[in-house]
Every structure is written in structure tokens, then in C-alpha cells.
Amino acid sequence: MEQSDMYLANCQINNFKIIKQIGSGSNGLVFHVTDVFSNSNFTMKIILKSHLFNSNKNNNNDLLLNQLVHDLSHNDYKLSLPTVDLDSVLNISNYQLETNPHYKELNLHLKVHTHQNVVTIHQIIESNFATFILMDYYPTDLFTSIVDHKHFSHNGNLVKNVFLQLLSVLEYCSLNDVYHCDLKPENILIDKLDNIYLCDFGLAISSSSSSMSNLNLNVGSSYYMAPERISPNKPTFNELTIKGDVWSLGIILINLTCIRNPWAKASTLEDKTFA
């Protein structure tokens, strides 16, 4: 059981009741929630506002959780918070993004969330310490489907179907100047009809809003990271974005067909298999 489940289960933010925590990362906490009026399931991602960021990123989620528990416990475990117009975040200026970098993930996600294979953002809620993002809920990710369920084992048509969807969404993202930079099965959700949905744009970048000097080259999963991102030499923007995402797709294809990763890291110095 996640620590947050003990504190937050059945707490409510607007009309959304928290069921349990289903994920976490450097960019926030992720919960399964239900709408108390419609009983519909949603995913709620909570991102700490950038002015509260701690230099030690590992402490940011603890800070976020503590503040959330504090505010809920002082308001009868129910928060009533304002919503934000989605278009205002979609059209936010580069200057505003520089001063409020926690909006970057939302801005880039909104640019592509109308694609049928991207998780849809339905609502954005604001507090003084965090931004709450309401999205579609899917209980299974591609990693679980590949490794635990063996769903793709010896099924070439199913592999082809899912991979064509991945190609479609990656092309759509690149046409809209959005590069995910963290493609891996854990960031791809799948429904009962074998449709996939790309999520978690926390490391995504675009050519219009990113500076090479500010990019986290080694942030992400080493299993899916292109060698240019691991190399001590400074990569080009294309090597980080277009080529990097295509590389990750290749590793995912090996996952789908072989139920394993080919190497732990794409480095001849650090991984004998890759060498």
C-alpha cells in the first residue's frame, strides 16, 4: 500500500474522490479517482508548483503529499478549488512557461491530446501549491500487458496493430513539434480492445520552447534511451527528439516481440550486451 493511500483514500477534491495512488515520478503523484456525480473513473495527476520545487527532486513528492494531507485535514477532507480554462494553458506564452515551468508538461500534452492514441486531458484544477490534471483512466499499461500478462506472446498481428498505433501517435506529435523523450511501455496505457494511449509528457520538449542547455539529457529510463543521450558529447536537437523517440520505438518493438529488453544501457563502455 502506498503511504498516500492511508491518508488520502476517500478524500475529495471538487467532485473527485480519491481511490488510491497508482503512480509517482519526478513530476508529481498520480491517483485513481472517481466522479461522485457520474461514478466515472479518471486519473488525477498532481504536480507541485515550480516556485515550491526543492533542489532535491526526491523530496518534491514528499513535500507535495504533506501539503495535500495538511490542506485536506484542515478542510474536512474535501477541497473546493477553481478550474483553469484548457485553452489558456494551451496558448500560454514562452515567457509564462519560463516563469511557471510546471505548465510545460500540460502545454505540450494539450497540443496533441486530441489524437485518438493520446490520453485526453478533461480538466485542470488549481491550488496555491499544486496543479491537478484530470485525464482518462486506464488500469493497465503496456509493460504489464507485455511482461505480466504475456498478452503479445506469439501474436504477430497484435504486435503489428499496437506498433502501428505507436507510429501514428509519434508522427502526430512530431508534426505538432512535440517530442516525448520518455517513450517506454510504462508510459503507454492499453485498453481491453488493445488500443494504446500515450501519457506522461513530463520530459517532453519542443523546438520553440526548449534550450539545449536546459535539457535533462540523462533523465528517463536507460533501457530506452538512445546512445546520443548517454554520450558525454553534446547531442543535436534532432538526436534528442526525433531520433531519440524513434530509437525508443525500436526498443519497444523488441519488448513486444521478445518480452525483454536487449540491454540495460546503450553504451559500449557500460553494457557488454550493447557492445
Side-chain angles (χ1 to χ4, degrees):
M1 177 182 290
E2 296 277 1
Q3 182 188 29
S4 60
D5 292 348
M6 297 185 291
Y7 301 117
L8 301 179
N10 296 317
C11 292
Q12 194 170 313
I13 297 164
N14 290 0
N15 53 303
F16 300 99
K17 183 173 69 174
I18 295 174
I19 305 301
K20 65 177 182 178
Q21 185 177 344
I22 56 175
S24 65
S26 59
N27 292 301
L29 303 171
V30 185
F31 295 89
H32 173 199
V33 301
T34 59
D35 186 330
V36 296
F37 299 127
S38 67
N39 289 322
S40 299
N41 292 294
F42 292 92
T43 295
M44 176 184 282
K45 184 169 186 178
I46 309 176
I47 302 174
L48 187 69
K49 290 198 170 181
S50 48
H51 69 274
L52 296 173
F53 279 2
N54 190 302
S55 58
N56 184 349
K57 290 187 176 182
N58 294 327
N59 293 334
N60 284 333
N61 284 344
D62 290 337
L63 178 62
L64 177 58
L65 177 61
N66 291 337
Q67 186 63 52
L68 185 59
V69 170
H70 174 273
D71 283 18
L72 283 163
S73 62
H74 284 74
N75 290 277
D76 295 324
Y77 301 98
K78 184 182 292 186
L79 295 179
S80 181
L81 300 170
T83 59
V84 177
D85 179 64
L86 297 185
D87 285 340
S88 69
V89 179
L90 176 63
N91 298 316
I92 195 169
S93 69
N94 287 340
Y95 173 76
Q96 290 172 306
L97 284 176
E98 288 176 5
T99 54
N100 298 278
H102 62 281
Y103 279 125
K104 177 179 74 72
E105 172 181 353
L106 272 170
N107 173 260
L108 296 179
H109 190 158
L110 284 168
K111 287 182 178 180
V112 296
H113 83 138
T114 54
H115 190 279
Q116 61 184 358
N117 297 119
V118 176
V119 170
T120 300
I121 294 176
H122 294 284
Q123 195 174 124
I124 299 172
I125 301 169
E126 288 281 13
S127 77
N128 62 341
F129 68 93
T131 299
F132 302 75
I133 311 159
L134 270 298
M135 299 174 283
D136 289 329
Y137 172 74
Y138 301 99
T140 305
D141 61 38
L142 191 61
F143 180 86
T144 301
S145 187
I146 292 170
V147 176
D148 295 344
H149 300 165
K150 302 291 191 296
H151 184 55
F152 295 89
S153 181
H154 310 300
N155 192 333
N157 286 332
L158 185 55
V159 170
K160 179 180 179 181
N161 173 56
V162 164
F163 199 71
L164 286 174
Q165 292 179 65
L166 285 171
L167 292 175
S168 173
V169 70
L170 186 64
E171 179 183 39
Y172 184 79
C173 286
S174 63
L175 289 173
N176 284 275
D177 191 33
V178 175
Y179 308 97
H180 193 276
C181 298
D182 195 22
L183 286 173
K184 58 184 179 181
E186 293 90 334
N187 288 338
I188 300 164
L189 306 176
I190 187 166
D191 66 17
K192 294 180 180 179
L193 299 177
D194 299 319
N195 298 307
I196 60 98
Y197 306 91
L198 185 61
C199 65
D200 198 345
F201 286 74
L203 297 181
I205 58 176
S206 73
S207 61
S208 60
S209 61
S210 296
S211 161
M212 288 292 288
S213 60
N214 293 328
L215 298 180
N216 295 317
L217 304 186
N218 293 313
V219 175
S221 174
S222 65
Y223 292 100
Y224 303 91
M225 201 178 290
E228 292 86 357
R229 287 181 61 187
I230 299 170
S231 168
N233 299 321
K234 190 173 183 179
T236 66
F237 187 83
N238 279 352
E239 287 173 336
L240 277 176
T241 56
I242 302 169
K243 292 181 179 180
D245 279 351
V246 170
W247 175 278
S248 299
L249 273 181
I251 306 301
I252 292 171
L253 181 59
I254 294 173
N255 292 163
L256 288 165
T257 54
C258 303
I259 319 180
R260 60 161 294 164
N261 289 305
W263 43 71
K265 186 181 252 188
S267 168
T268 55
L269 299 177
E270 299 183 51
D271 192 294
K272 292 181 180 179
T273 306
F274 183 76

